[in-house]
Structures are given as C-alpha cells and as structure tokens.
Amino acid sequence: MQLDDLYRRVIMDHYKNQRNRGTFEDGAMTVELNNPTCGDRITLQLQVEDNKVVDAKFSGDGCSISMSSASMMTEAIKGKTYEEALELADRFSALMKGEEVEFAEYEEIEALSGVNKFPARIKCATLAWNALRKGIGEDSLNN
C-alpha cells in the first residue's frame, strides 16, 4: 500500500467516524469559526481546568479535510496544557507549510501533510486549529 493511500484511509476514517463529535451541556469554552471560501464551519468546545484541556468536542459541517482535522486535533489536545496544545498547533502550521514535522504522540495528524499541495484546502485543514488558538488566546487574556 502506498503512503498516499494510507493517508487517504486515515483521513476518511476520521471523517466517517469522527472522534469527539458533539457538545458539552455547559461550562465549556466555546469558539465558533467558519471558512467563508468553502462553507466549512466549526464549533469547538473545550473543558479546561488550570490552563489544561481536560476534554474537547466539536460540531459543525464541512469537507472531509476540515472534519478529519478537527477529529484528529481534539484527540491530540486532550490532557495537554495550553502551552502544549499551542505547540501542537504551531507544528501543524509548519506541516501545512510543507515542513518536515513528526507527531510521534499522535502520528495520524501526519496524514494531513499532503494538504499543503493544495493551497485552497489548507484553510480547511487549519480551521479547527485556528479555533483552538482563538479559544486558548481569549481564555489566557481572561486569567
């Protein structure tokens, strides 16, 4: 099996079997973002304690890239401090720029590396990550 085929399968698995899809009843930090160029929209919810992401969920509609990326991201950031979550977001941004980046602790994210060959799709892949940055940034300012 070629690496591109494996990556496609990982992306489609996260699209068809989205991890952490849903909403929290209350008390969660909520960030809504959309990508007007293609219609993707996401609502990211984070349960945080002491500047640490205890749990994460998302809802919204979008293409397989945006929804798979949100699924992967919510898996990767659980249990991470704000600093660790932002560091993952920085590494993801580098991946989207075509840089060699490893996600040893959550290597499925690397399946999105091929997106950088399609500049119009980068916004799809980074939508959830941008919501994460916005939410953590706003919460940091309030503490």
Side-chain angles (χ1 to χ4, degrees):
M1 181 184 315
Q2 298 236 347
L3 190 58
D4 285 347
D5 291 336
L6 176 63
Y7 282 175
R8 253 185 241 109
R9 287 182 185 199
V10 169
I11 291 168
M12 290 311 295
D13 178 55
H14 273 273
Y15 180 62
K16 292 178 180 177
N17 306 295
Q18 296 170 9
R19 284 67 154 177
N20 307 303
R21 184 162 184 89
T23 57
F24 294 114
E25 290 293 318
D26 59 347
M29 174 195 315
T30 302
V31 179
E32 295 180 16
L33 280 185
N34 67 50
N35 179 356
T37 58
C38 69
D40 294 341
R41 62 179 184 78
I42 187 170
T43 300
L44 176 66
Q45 290 190 302
L46 304 174
Q47 287 187 330
V48 298
E49 291 177 15
D50 300 322
N51 292 331
K52 187 174 191 176
V53 179
V54 177
D55 204 355
K57 290 190 181 278
F58 76 97
S59 59
D61 296 303
C63 66
S64 60
I65 297 296
S66 67
M67 296 294 104
S68 296
S69 184
S71 175
M72 292 177 195
M73 184 206 68
T74 55
E75 285 284 286
I77 63 171
K78 285 184 185 180
K80 302 282 192 258
T81 64
Y82 282 1
E83 185 176 283
E84 292 167 332
L86 290 174
E87 195 269 332
L88 279 172
D90 289 345
R91 287 172 43 211
F92 189 77
S93 291
L95 184 72
M96 290 298 101
K97 293 175 185 172
E99 297 175 22
E100 290 286 326
V101 181
E102 287 188 25
F103 291 87
E105 68 280 5
Y106 198 74
E107 62 187 28
E108 286 189 346
I109 292 173
E110 293 174 26
L112 293 165
S113 62
V115 171
N116 68 35
K117 297 173 189 162
F118 307 96
R121 302 304 302 270
I122 291 173
K123 287 183 180 181
C124 302
T126 58
L127 184 63
W129 297 89
N130 290 337
L132 172 69
R133 287 178 196 274
K134 181 179 179 189
I136 288 177
E138 288 176 1
D139 196 51
S140 295
L141 292 174
N142 294 329
N143 286 331

